[in-house]
Every structure is written in structure tokens, then in C-alpha cells.
Amino acid sequence: MNLSGKRIVVGITGGIAAYKTIEFIRLLRKAEAEVRVVLTPAAEEFVTPLTLQAISGHAVSQSLLDPQAELAMGHIELAKWAQAIVIAPASADFIARFSVGMANDLLSTLCLATSSPIFLAPAMNQQMFAQQITQQNLTALQERGVVLIGPNSGFQACGDVGAGRMSEPEEILTALSDFFYQDQDLQGLNVAITAGPTREPIDPVRYISNYSSGKMGFALAEAFAKRGANVTLISGPVNLISPKNVNRINVISAQEMWHIALESAVKNHIFIGCAAVADYRVAKVGEQKIKKSEAEMQLKLIKNPDIIADVGHLEEKRPFTVGFAAETQHVADYAKDKLQRKNLDMICANDVSNGQVFNAEENALQLFWKGGSKILALKSKKELAADLVDEIIEQYRKTSSFLTAL
């Protein structure tokens, strides 16, 4: 990976994950980037300026009120010098201060004074990350163009397990490289993607749904957008942040998703049905909460519209149509049947037996199309999404519609 000559400021905030940043800086130097390091006061409790100076090859900046640096307005010069600022780890405290525009240390001041892109690699206890205020702060920063890298899920230094682990140094380096050298080969391509579950109401307080997290659909939307495609993401109710440069439309029920999806399909070159749409809905939704009275309660269910089949059978302005099949048995057989019956161009099948895939960070897929198939091995959903985009585009390019799409 080559970042030769790229000028990167690495900001380190207070957190045990700061030890990983030493390896990240080493990787930047190996990629031939120019690196300057900025420490917050809390970060100095976890990593030493001397270590970082040895790794980066330059003196470490620590104080906003350094008299020597301020002779030349050092913080402003550093903000102008940087082609990118990467903050790893980004603590909950720093994220909160940055989201409201505070400038009470050198690093937060640099972030306000720069016009260059800013990347955050959050790292904190899983409960801190899950807090509504933290999620609101992250969303606000993303809306202002800040790029989030991670966090990952797993074991944490405090003993908890969950989301909040800082991304690995290699992952942060890849994200930075993607920014500088992202392939925009899909500019002009319009893609619609459905993602997440749907909720079918029983009464005002209850509903029928499924375990879909929406992560695969969101990862696909991000992968297409990174390559320059115009992406419309039609999402059921999920707790996920919208990918950058993606137009998100939120829906609740299958009928809502069906209406938006059919409206969007004819405006797009590619339509991908990644959502786990409820097959049935309650025939008569209670206007008030249904009270518990008998030992049993019967609900009459009626079939929901089949979104991907209706898109696949469009007679006019039909897009290249990709479906997903979540199966617990006979995965390949059922997927091939759906490919033909729903008139799809490609289907992506996954095995969800024993609760696999839903809410997981990794996935594997079996792809089928007319006259071919391929297995995409188990990997993170973001990595898998990038591979899947390649496969979809390869098959799409074989269709006549590609000639007028780009």
C-alpha cells in the first residue's frame, strides 16, 4: 500500500487502544507517508511522546499553548499542512467535545482549523458506545463529513464484550488509502438497495418482525457509493448509521417498502433486494392494544407483496435485479428455484440455520446466475460487500442495459 508523500496528522486521545496507534504510525511510515503526531493530555497517560517521536521521526505536538510553536502559529500551520487527520483512538470524551465545536486542546483546535478530511476510529466501552448521546454525536459528525472507521466488536480491555473496540491498524490504513485512491469507476450508475427487516403491526404496541440487522445491505450501499455510484438505500427499522453519500429512505412495513421499491426500481440500473421482508402481515390490525383474555389468541395472516419478484417481472424499465435468499436447509436448491421463479439476474444465498448471519459481523455467500455460480468465502460483511459489488458489476456488464448505463 503506497501513501508516498501524503501528509497525515495522527491524533491520539486517552484510551487503552492508544497502544495500537503505534503500529498504525509504523504502517504509515512503511507506506511512505509523512506523519506528525498530536497527543491530548489524557493520551500521555497511555503512550509516551518519546516512543511516538521515535516511530514517527518527528517531535510530538502536545500543547495548544506551546510558546515556541505559537511563535509561528503552530496549530494553524499544522492544520494547513495536513492532507488528512486521523484520530485513533477517538474517545467518547473527544467525540463529544468535537461534535459541539469545542477547541480546548491542540487536537480539537486542529480539527476546527483544518479544511482537510478528518477520520475517527472510535474506541470505548461497549455501553458508552451504545449510549444514545454517543450515537447522536457520531451521527452529527458524519453529517458534517467526518469519516468513521469502525469500531469493531469483541472482547474489551475492561472485560466486556461488544461494539467499541478500535479498528485494527491495517483497517485504518486501508480506509485512508481508499480515500486517497478510491476507484470512481461506477459514476453515473444508479443503484437501489433494500435492507433490514420489516415490522408488521398487530396493534399499536406489538408487531411481527425478524432478526435481520441490515448490516449486509448497508455494507453493500457503502461499497457501491465508494465507487461513485448513486445509491438509494430503502431501509427497514435498524440501528445503523447511514453510509456516506447514500440517499436513505426509511420505511417500517413490507407494504411501505414495496411501494418505495417499485417506485425506485424503474429509476435505477441495478436493484438489490437485501431486506428480510416479512412474508405475511396481520389481516386486521387492532386499533387499540389487544387485551390478554384467553389462554390462546389467533391471528389471521395474509400474504405480503413479493418485492423482488415484482421488480424481476417488470415489463418496462426493468433493472438488473439481484435477490437474497436466507435459508436454513437445501440452500442451493431453494436459491436456484427463486432465481428462476422470480425472474432474477442473480441471487445471493446464505445459510441462516442456528441463527447464523443475522446480527453477525461476518457472512459468506453462494452466488447463482443463469449459467453460473460462485462461492464468496466467510469474511467481514464490509469486505464481502466489496467482493459482491465486483461480481454484480461483472454480470451486469454482460447485459445490454450496461451499454446505456454509463
Side-chain angles (χ1 to χ4, degrees), residues 197 209-214 276 355 357-359:
S209 190
N210 57 61
Y211 292 111
S212 174
S213 65
V357 178
F358 291 128
N359 284 304

Side-chain angles (χ1 to χ4, degrees), residues 7 9 75-86 98 107-119 144-147 179-180 244:
R7 302 187 301 275
V9 168
H75 64 287
I76 299 298
E77 290 304 313
L78 193 55
K80 291 179 179 178
W81 176 86
Q83 290 179 299
I85 296 177
V86 182
F98 185 24
L107 185 57
S108 57
T109 302
L110 283 176
C111 290
L112 289 184
T114 190
S115 59
S116 297
I118 298 172
F119 298 79
R144 301 208 300 264
V146 174
V147 180
F179 168 78
F180 282 114
K244 188 177 180 181

